[in-house]
Amino acid sequence: TERGRPGCRRLGPPLASCEVRLWGPGGTRGRSPEVLAAEAEKSRLSQAWRSPTDDIEDFIRQGPLYQRLLLICPAPAIAEWMDKAQAIAEQLRVGTILPQEMEEQMSKRIYHLYLPLYFWMRHQALERRSSRSHGGAVVFGISAPQGFGKTTTMQLLEALFVADGFNFQAVSIDDFYLPATWQEEVANVYSDNALLQSRGNAGTHDIRLGSETLKALKSAEEGEVLVPRFDKSALNGRGDQVPKHRWTPVALPCDVVVLEGWMVGFKAEE
């Protein structure tokens, strides 16, 4: 028994050195201290040479829309991602374009939603512009629930398209609600249908007006088209169509037209 350490017995001469080899995850796997030190230094230098753009590229590739974007067109250069991200950040009053310095939801919206969506749409618009056999605007439909931020998305897309030299126009399915007097008539005729007693659901839109407006916006001819507007605050919140002389004039031809709403693309069961 050693002095001061009762219960311990030295079984041989003192060891001059000792090497511990761990074969589990993260262990030395039999590598010598010299090899481990060299690997650690290599890792340190590798991290030191990483730039902020490396982190942004890694984050971009994690987005669910990135691979879908690559199915349509080559991914834009990182410099363009950063340039467009800067434009969006300024509009949203975000003080940085580095994902790790943003709130998580904001970084995902910019790099995983807004930018892949824009680059995909722009590619379609460029294809249409370069095609000699198809004139007029390319029309997109975007369907998303209330609270998604459709208005903000349209504003950001417009800014990006205009900056790249495109004539962009967004229209909302809400602006094609029936005038108040028509809606009252629909409610009376279908008094047993709770879904038609007020605006909002399928059956409360002026389909003919919407079709004619989109067709006019898609035209390749020069001119002007009036886009309807609906005032949801009118008649104590029941809403009503704005008089035609106050509709929004849009110069033609457009390059990109987007119809947004919460049920764009829905189809009737019968």
Side-chain angles (χ1 to χ4, degrees):
T1 301
E2 293 186 44
R3 182 181 300 175
R5 298 186 62 189
C8 293
R9 176 179 297 176
R10 178 172 296 162
L11 300 178
L15 298 175
S17 64
C18 179
E19 178 182 339
V20 178
R21 299 190 177 192
L22 303 178
W23 292 85
T28 64
R29 301 175 184 269
R31 291 166 293 179
S32 68
E34 292 77 12
V35 171
L36 292 173
E39 290 179 354
E41 179 66 9
K42 181 179 179 181
S43 176
R44 185 188 69 80
L45 293 175
S46 175
Q47 290 298 321
W49 281 102
R50 284 184 63 83
S51 68
T53 59
D54 294 325
D55 294 330
I56 294 177
E57 283 190 276
D58 290 345
F59 187 72
I60 289 170
R61 294 191 181 99
Q62 296 171 13
L65 297 182
Y66 183 77
Q67 293 300 325
R68 292 178 179 270
L69 173 66
L70 294 183
L71 293 176
I72 304 298
C73 60
I78 184 60
E80 186 169 19
W81 285 85
M82 296 175 66
D83 180 63
K84 301 302 184 188
Q86 182 65 49
I88 293 176
E90 290 175 359
Q91 288 227 20
L92 298 179
R93 298 182 180 180
V94 179
T96 179
I97 63 171
L98 299 179
Q100 65 271 25
E101 296 180 3
M102 296 183 195
E103 293 183 358
E104 181 181 6
Q105 291 303 315
M106 180 60 69
S107 62
K108 288 182 177 179
R109 274 191 167 267
I110 292 177
Y111 287 104
H112 294 174
L113 174 62
Y114 297 141
L115 289 179
L117 178 63
Y118 171 69
F119 289 135
W120 177 80
M121 294 173 67
R122 187 183 66 178
H123 179 78
Q124 307 299 316
L126 289 171
E127 290 283 299
R128 173 59 65 92
R129 178 181 281 183
S130 63
S131 174
R132 296 183 179 180
S133 59
H134 296 86
V138 57
V139 181
F140 298 95
I142 294 182
S143 184
Q146 290 90 338
F148 168 83
K150 293 186 291 294
T151 299
T152 298
T153 302
M154 294 305 105
Q155 292 172 345
L156 295 174
L157 288 175
E158 179 177 15
L160 294 173
F161 272 112
V162 170
D164 280 344
F166 291 88
N167 185 6
F168 175 93
Q169 182 61 44
V171 291
S172 172
I173 196 173
D174 291 355
D175 285 322
F176 298 112
Y177 282 133
L178 295 170
T181 54
W182 295 17
Q183 177 57 48
E184 290 176 5
E185 185 64 23
V186 169
N188 290 332
V189 171
Y190 300 98
S191 58
D192 59 339
N193 190 335
L195 298 177
L196 297 178
Q197 299 309 298
S198 61
R199 61 176 170 83
N201 294 297
T204 63
H205 298 83
D206 188 338
I207 302 301
R208 180 177 178 180
L209 177 62
S211 298
E212 291 176 349
T213 301
L214 290 175
K215 184 177 180 180
L217 289 170
K218 188 178 179 181
S219 172
E221 302 295 327
E222 293 187 2
E224 184 180 85
V225 60
L226 295 176
V227 175
R229 292 173 54 200
F230 191 89
D231 183 2
K232 295 181 181 179
S233 65
L235 303 177
N236 296 319
R238 287 188 295 129
D240 198 4
Q241 189 179 80
V242 170
K244 192 170 183 177
H245 68 273
R246 291 171 51 196
W247 290 6
T248 304
V250 176
L252 299 177
C254 293
D255 297 305
V256 179
V257 175
V258 178
L259 174 66
E260 59 88 357
W262 70 268
M263 57 177 177
V264 174
F266 282 29
K267 296 181 179 180
E269 291 185 352
E270 298 181 0

